[in-house]
Structure formats: C-alpha cells, structure tokens
Amino acid sequence: MEFDWSKDETEFRSALKDFLSSELPEGFDAFDMPEHDAKEFSKTFAVKLAERGWLTPAWPKAYGGLDQSPWQSLILSEEMVAHGEPRFGQYMCVNWVGPALILAGTDEQKEYHLKRISRGDVMWCQGFSEPGAGSDLASLRTRAIWDGKDYVINGEKIWTSYAGVADFCFLLARTDGEAHKHRGISIFLVPTDAPGLTIRNIPSLFFDGAFNQCTFENVRAPASWMLGPENGGWPIIRKLLVNERVGVARYRRAARSLERAAKIAKAEGLFDDPTVLEALGRARAACEAARVLVYRVIDERAKGRYPDLTAYVYRVATIRAERAVYEAELHIEGLAGMAEGSVAAKQFGHAVTAGVATGTLEMQLNLIARDIVGGVGA
Amino acid sequence: MDMELNETQRAIEDSCTRLFARKAGPSRARLLRAEGGFDRPLLEEMQSAGFLDLFDDAETGPLAAALVTEWASTAAALAPIGQRALIAPAAMSDIPPLVVAVGEKGRKGPVRYAAEADLLILLDGDDAQAVRKGDFVAEPVDSKFGYPMARIASAKGTALAAGSGRTARNWWRVAIAAEVAGIGRAALDLTIRYLKDRVQFDRPIASYQAIQHRLVDCHVSTDAVQWAAREAAYHRAPDELAASAAIAAEETAYRLFYEMHQLTGAIGFTREYDLHLWTMRLQTLRQEAGGINSHAHDLVHARWG
Ligand SMILES: Cc1cc2nc3c(=O)[nH]c(=O)nc-3n(C[C@H](O)[C@H](O)[C@H](O)COP(=O)(O)OP(=O)(O)OC[C@H]3O[C@@H](n4cnc5c(N)ncnc54)[C@H](O)[C@@H]3O)c2cc1C
C-alpha cells in the first residue's frame, strides 16, 4: 500500500494544469454557460485536446488513444473538472460511449463513431430512463421490432441530458418482449435527427438542457445501428456504467466550489465563527474522503478488475461531499446564497441531483448491502 | 498508488492477527476494564515483536504503524498503541518508553492512560513537553468511556524541539482516526452478524431494507475514516490530511455510536454483550485533541490561512 503518484502521473497532471490555465479564463465553468454555447465551446476546445492526445488518452492506441492507465484517466478527469469541465458533455462519449464501441462495436461502427468521438466534434446523449423505468431500468418498455428490413422503434425516453444538443443517442430498447427483462434489451446508436424522433426540453430547477423527453414514433433503425448482439445489451451496460459512475470527479468539482466559498468567508471575516469553521471543515473532509475512496476504484481497475462495491461506496461518499459543500456554502453566504449566481446557488443543483442522476443513492445502498450484509432472505 | 498491502505489510498483518487472537479480543478487554487496568503485557509483546517501532523503520514507515494501531483497535486492545507507535516517535528523537500518554495544556478533562504512563507528552500550541514519570501527578478518574483515565494535577517537563506540538497534534489526529476506523470495523461486523441471526416478525432483522441502508451508511463512513487515516499516515500527517482524517473520525464515531446501539436494541446496553467494549471508546475519541472544533479550525487555517 502506498499513496504516491508516479513521475509520469505527476508530469501528466502538471502538463494538463499548465495547458488548462493558459487556455481557459479564470473561473471558467461550462455548466454556467447556455447549453448551446457550451457545446460549441467544447468542440473547439476538444480539437486542441485531441491534438495532444488528451481527449481519449485511455483508449487503446489502435483506436487513436494513448493506452493511458486508469490513474491517468482519473488525473484527466480531476483536472478537467477542476477547470470547469471544458469538454462539457463530451466526457460521456470519451468515458463510456467510446469504450462501449471498443468493447462491442463492429468494424464499421468503430471506424465511423470512434473517429468522430476522438476528434471531439460529436456529442452523445444517453437514452436509458423512461417515464415508467427509473431505478428499475431493466423494466424499460421502448420497443424495437424487426420488420424484415429495419428495427422500428416506438417509445418514450425521459430525463435525457444534452439531447437538445446531441448528435447521437445511445439508446436502450426492448427487442424481445417475452424474455426475462434483462435478456430482451438491445443497444442502438441513433442519430438524433432520425425521422420520427422528437425531442422536447423539460425545464429543470438547475441547468439549461439538463432534462429532455425523447419520443420515438416509428423510428426506422437499420441493423447497422445496433451495438453488440441482439438482446445482449444489458451485460454491456453493466460493465460500462461503472465508468459513468466514477467518470466524473464530482468531489473535485465540489472542492472547487468550496474554495470559492472559503475565499468569501475569509474576506468577510467569518473565520472567527466556529459554525462556519465546522461546516467548512466537514465539507472539506467529505471531499477528501471521496477523493481517497475513488483511489480504491481506480486501483481495482488498474489491476484489471471491474470494480463494483468500491465504486458504490465511492458514489455514496461523493453524494455526501456534494451536500456537505452546499451546506457549508449556506452557512457562509446565508440569504445571499439565494441570489442567482451565488456560490451556493450554483452548487445547489449539483448537491441535490448527485443522489439521483446516474442511479440513486438508495440503489447504491441496496447494492452495497447485498455485499456487506449478503444472503439474509427477503 | 497501490491500495493493497505489500508483502511486508501483509506479513505484519499476519503476525498481528495471530498475536491479537491470542492476547487481545473482547474478553480480554472486558477483564481489563473490570480491573480498571490496561494491557501492559500486550504492549510488551508488541514491543518485543517490533510492532511499536515501525515509525522510523525505513522499510515500513509510519503507514505500517498506523495500520497496527487500526488493527489493534479492531481487536479491542486496551493499551496506548497509537501514542507509542505514532505520536511519540513523531514528537521526540529519543526512543520513547513503553507507556506513553498524550494530553494538552489548558484543556480540561482527563487524559487516557495518564496514571499508567512512563511518559506524558503535553502539547502546548505548536510546542510540546516531555514529562517523565515522577515529574507529573495524575489522579485517576472513574469513567465508563472505554479507557483508564486520569486528571493531570501537575506536570514539570522538558521542552521538546520547537514545532513538535504541532507535529504531535497531527499524529494524534491520525492515531484517533486509525483507532476509530478499527473500532468501526469491529462494531459493524459484530452488529451485522447479530442482525443476520436475530429474527423478528419471522425474518432476520438484517433483511429489512431500512436497517440495511443504515448499516451501509456506517460502512461508508468507516471506509472513509480508514482510508483517510492510512493516506494521512503515509504522507506523514501533514496539517490538512491529518485534520481531515480526524473530522472523518468524528463523523464516523458519531454515526456509528448511535446506529450500532440503536440497531442492536436493549442487549447492546448490557455489559454482557461485547458491543460496548468498542463503542464506548468512540465517545472519548470524539473529544480528544480538541474535538471537531479544533480539527475544523486547524484544517481551515492550514488550507485557507
Ligand atoms: C440531473 C439528472 C440528469 C439525468 N440524466 C439522464 C440521462 O442523460 N439519461 C437517462 O437515461 N437518465 C437520466 N437521468 C435519470 C436518472 O437516471 C433517474 O432519475 C434515476 O435512475 C432514478 O429514476 P427515477 O427518477 O425514475 O426515480 P425512481 O426510480 O422513481 O425513484 C424514486 C425514489 O424511490 C427510490 N427507490 C426506487 N426503487 C427503490 C428500491 N428498490 N429500494 C429503495 N428505494 C427505491 C429511489 O432511490 C428514489 O429515491 C437523469 C437524472 C437527473 C436527476
């Protein structure tokens, strides 16, 4: 057991830091920008990253990556997030859409999609949740029925972030209505301008474009849009969702928000107030706990395992960190935190969605319980 | 970065496990508590096995000392192990005597193991004193909170090197965190086993989701403090990491105490059931080194000036 970064890792981090601070304005945050602007910005930015191999460094060399270790991916994620995530929604393509294609794609799919992702000029959205299928994702009912020529897709996806600006949707649909619910699901790579697909923005309490509803009405999907085997989507999803869960160094973003709040506290002379100190201390410790707990996930990945228990534990710790940071910011800003643009008001969306987006807190608790409590019936 | 024990660490773990299985454990702790004593024989054995002198050993370093502290605490060992294995070697250059107690000037309240100690390290802001046996008066106080304790009536020591108070305080925080992590693990294991066995309404209590979620929250907190302590020890207890680990310890101690006792029901309040042999210590550990106020104060000032 040791907690040192290797020389390569340290150099990688400092090169990234230098690059990001020279490229981005102080205080940059893609999530403060209107969604469309953020997307356009991310495209230009991603090209610069791609030139340096930093857009998809964890991918195998054969697909334009650098074969970097999971530790370097973590560093990349931390530094991007610490600098306002200039890749915006592209982290999704890089972290799990690409790896899913590498795992299960045909040569044509790889050729077409991986190139575009690694150039940075494409955005994806994730069509998983449905009005009737949230935590119980495998109960999804969007149907894709083969009519002899194409799959014909009908159904409803909801909460689809980025759908309004995405070029493709990574869609889960049921191709076998008879099979056990996990065994009848397939993945489709659907262009968002496919005829029959309509996208409606659902106003949310937080970010522009956070939520959309995608309605599929007789959308015709040729077989070449299917990723992996028919009815074999679920195992692919299970493997890759861990990438999503730990792909974004949320604790690092929360810690950055806390830095801003601490600056305010200091400037306003609040470092004499024990309640402020306690809230700041607890929030910082919560961010640090999430940071050290993610190392266990990365360590497993680096050793060739697909982490699960450690990843769920890390997610719970991250949710705690997001909330603790918001609480500290409220102690510091008070009513001023209610004004748009305040540190607390910006953190609010992250703090409250952390426990729902990418699988709820309760699902993490259920999964951990299965492991630590184990077989006790009901 | 490597989150698994290396060969040396594993060898230490193996011998600790064997030693603690023979010489520590809840029944031993119960006996010692009944007599109001502490485990000098265990400490002596640990010393002769070299487990108390890992801090300055180039091959093992302070991380191994912190691991031993954590594992001893899981085994309910009743002896000032963190004080001797982590705090004393960080604060002083001489080889410390066997029994070390650590207190703070100007803080009221008793000090763990003070009446038994061969050496009292007294922190005073950024500085510290070493007070040898005979140069301080410690008056034992009764306490149900897990440890033998004594009030320091007077002390006349010699100053340690400048800055050793701050260093010692940081290691104190790491030791607290390691101890809480060890206790947390043991208390949680015991409670999960109990709840899997005990049936109410025709089901094991552990099968209720409301119960499981609370157990998991305790598990997450225990993981958090365990890894915070290990990382802080590895990096030699810098201000921020040490304070942060101590805050994680306070969070875990608070959560676990209530949850473990709540979820165990009435039997958990008896002296006959083992739970208290671990959990009562949490109350003391939450107060040490100034408690949450002091940890938070030092963390904030170390980070943001
Ligand atoms: C900001 C944000 C962005 C999102 N982006 C996307 C996206 O891009 N694409 C996408 O497909 N989805 C997206 N989602 C949806 C997200 O994946 C779901 O919200 C999530 O899986 C929970 O589903 P639900 O909202 O239907 O809640 P429900 O499943 O209805 O759950 C409601 C409550 O009941 C609890 N609950 C449910 N079942 C159990 C159980 N068995 N035991 C205990 N408690 C239970 C839940 O934990 C939760 O607290 C997004 C959500 C948010 C908040």
Side-chain angles (χ1 to χ4, degrees), chain A residues 92 125-137 157-162 206-207 210-211 244 250 349 352-353 355-363 366, chain B residues 209 213:
Chain A
M92 284 210 305
C125 63
Q126 172 186 330
F128 290 7
S129 307
E130 297 184 1
S135 300
D136 184 11
L137 178 58
K157 292 289 168 180
I158 199 165
W159 319 128
T160 326
S161 306
Y162 312 115
F206 331 102
F207 321 105
F211 290 152
E244 187 194 16
R250 268 180 171 272
V352 297
T353 57
V356 176
T358 71
T360 66
L361 171 60
E362 289 72 21
M363 292 304 111
N366 287 348
Chain B
Q209 192 188 50
H213 283 190

Side-chain angles (χ1 to χ4, degrees), chain A residues 6-75:
Chain A
S6 73
K7 188 163 162 284
D8 281 355
E9 288 158 356
T10 311
E11 284 173 3
F12 179 54
R13 190 189 291 277
S14 80
L16 273 172
K17 273 195 166 131
D18 290 348
F19 171 72
L20 289 165
S21 32
S22 69
E23 288 288 330
L24 297 169
E26 174 79 21
F28 173 86
D29 190 344
F31 291 92
D32 284 352
M33 297 165 79
E35 195 184 24
H36 195 267
D37 299 355
K39 179 191 173 180
E40 288 309 310
F41 180 89
S42 78
K43 276 186 171 178
T44 334
F45 193 80
V47 173
K48 296 183 194 171
L49 281 176
E51 280 165 7
R52 289 161 176 79
W54 291 345
L55 189 60
T56 57
W59 291 12
K61 285 211 172 92
Y63 301 110
L66 297 176
D67 257 330
Q68 277 195 347
S69 75
W71 291 108
Q72 280 163 314
S73 297
L74 177 74
I75 293 170

Side-chain angles (χ1 to χ4, degrees), chain A residues 1 4 259 303 366 373, chain B residues 2 4 9 196 213 234:
Chain A
M1 185 180 296
D4 282 325
E259 292 293 313
K303 288 171 178 157
N366 287 348
V373 179
Chain B
D2 185 354
E4 284 171 14
Q9 291 160 344
K196 284 172 82 159
H213 283 190
Y234 183 81

